Amino acid sequence: MPVPILLVTGFLGAGKTTVVNHLLANADGRRIAAVVNDFGAINIDAELIAGASDGVVSLANGCICCSLEGDLIRTLSTLLRRDPKPEYIVIETSGVADPSDIVRNLMDPVILREAPLETVLCVIDAAMPPSALDDALQRSQLRVADIVALSKLDLADEGAGVRMREAIRAQRVPAVVVDAKHGAIPSALLFPASDGAPAPREPGPKRPAEERFETLSWTSDQPLSLPRLQQAIGKLAPKLARAKGLFETIEQPGRLMVFQFAGGRATLAPGEPPTEGVPRARIVFITELGMLSKAELDGIMEACVATG
């Protein structure tokens, strides 16, 4: 039996990982394989989803997580050879990826026969201004979508969802638009029952690659001062598109904190205990090219390290 693919796309910080987390936590007996394609030297996404940073991780509910290393087709072929074979494959794209390129790869005849692309889901941050959809990459992500999920409605004002829906409609996107509170989307939309493989789809014209973002990674073997970190993020915020990380603080020793920054908002949540031999702080910063130098970043972040 063919294994249908759900492709999850969306801009930096839109909430893709939250959607994938929800799918894995609410698999309802489905064997789901999640392929995480993180943009950065430190695979923070895989750690948040699976509790491990490399390889294939088996989850208690029968799902697995796999970090995308190298060629997508090769990764899919490896998953399809597993026993038991997954029933569904979810691919989370990088926030800076043009999904039309990935769709084009998935039209490979061998993959299409064994793992057809069933659904493309685009996650949109409803709290951002509708004018953000004028971005060329955002439009490309919307254009290939079958379903558009509005995330972060709890962080937006009352009319944000309506305004974003109107902006999406103005883009003449034929996709179904749904709310995705806390990453929840009706599974019937994402995994429709089907007796046959979906027909090949046209990904659209290939756009020239645009080197628009760069990733800067910062690590420390020492715990961080939370007040100093808050000051540092305040200085860095105007230059950041996204940041994600794990770190221990002197205020709460023995536990990692999960740090997220997107859309000008920073959040912290408790994580797992630190692992012996692994840096006490690991943070990935994504910024537009030329906005932030490594020297400036290091200077700001080193001030967060606990001393004495």
Side-chain angles (χ1 to χ4, degrees):
M1 286 288 292
V3 179
I5 290 176
L6 166 65
L7 183 65
V8 181
T9 186
F11 202 61
L12 293 162
K16 299 183 296 298
T17 300
T18 302
V19 169
V20 175
N21 269 323
H22 191 275
L23 286 172
L24 293 174
N26 299 273
D28 297 327
R30 305 181 185 91
R31 289 193 307 276
I32 300 174
V35 181
V36 180
N37 184 359
D38 195 19
F39 181 69
I42 302 172
N43 201 352
I44 298 295
D45 276 340
E47 293 201 44
L48 293 179
I49 292 174
S53 61
D54 54 49
V56 175
V57 178
S58 297
L59 305 181
N61 61 359
C63 299
I64 63 171
C65 257
C66 173
S67 59
L68 177 57
E69 297 177 354
D71 183 62
L72 173 61
I73 303 302
R74 186 169 66 247
T75 300
L76 292 176
S77 298
T78 300
L79 288 175
L80 292 169
R81 289 196 300 269
R82 289 181 63 87
D83 185 20
K85 192 163 64 171
E87 296 175 87
Y88 301 93
I89 296 174
V90 178
I91 301 173
E92 180 191 350
T93 72
S94 160
V96 295
D98 185 339
S100 63
D101 294 333
I102 300 170
V103 170
R104 191 174 289 104
N105 284 333
L106 294 176
M107 291 302 104
D108 176 278
V110 175
I111 293 297
L112 189 64
R113 183 174 66 248
E114 296 190 37
L117 178 58
E118 180 84 58
T119 305
V120 180
L121 170 70
C122 179
V123 184
I124 294 288
D125 180 353
M128 68 182 182
S131 59
L133 298 187
D134 294 335
D135 179 89
L137 180 56
Q138 293 257 32
R139 289 200 304 270
S140 182
Q141 292 169 343
L142 276 171
R143 189 184 65 227
V144 298
D146 303 304
I147 300 166
V148 175
L150 300 183
S151 68
K152 305 187 182 181
L153 287 165
D154 56 317
L155 302 176
D157 64 67
E158 200 169 284
V162 173
R163 291 194 298 272
M164 189 58 74
R165 285 172 183 268
E166 290 174 350
I168 292 169
R169 195 157 43 241
Q171 297 282 349
R172 300 184 183 278
V173 175
V176 175
V177 181
V178 298
D179 293 346
K181 294 181 179 178
H182 308 295
I185 300 169
S187 58
L189 285 175
L190 303 180
F191 304 116
S194 175
D195 295 326
R201 62 177 75 207
E202 173 53 52
K206 184 176 176 64
R207 294 192 299 112
E210 182 182 0
E211 288 296 328
R212 179 176 167 186
F213 297 92
E214 61 182 330
T215 298
L216 302 173
S217 299
W218 184 82
T219 64
S220 173
D221 292 324
Q222 301 297 319
L224 307 184
S225 160
L226 190 54
R228 280 183 245 163
L229 176 66
Q230 291 170 329
Q231 291 177 4
I233 297 304
K235 293 178 184 177
L236 292 169
K239 301 184 178 184
L240 296 179
R242 188 84 166 93
K244 310 175 77 169
L246 298 166
F247 53 80
E248 184 180 2
T249 66
I250 57 173
E251 291 80 11
Q252 296 189 30
R255 170 181 281 187
L256 292 176
M257 301 298 291
V258 180
F259 167 67
Q260 303 262 13
F261 177 88
R265 298 184 299 271
T267 61
L268 280 177
E272 300 297 321
T275 302
E276 191 69 31
V278 176
R280 308 279 277 281
R282 293 163 285 160
I283 308 178
V284 171
F285 299 89
I286 302 175
T287 180
E288 296 213 22
L289 284 171
M291 287 288 290
L292 181 66
S293 71
K294 186 67 166 69
E296 182 183 2
L297 174 67
D298 288 348
I300 292 173
M301 291 304 298
E302 289 300 328
C304 305
V305 176
T307 56

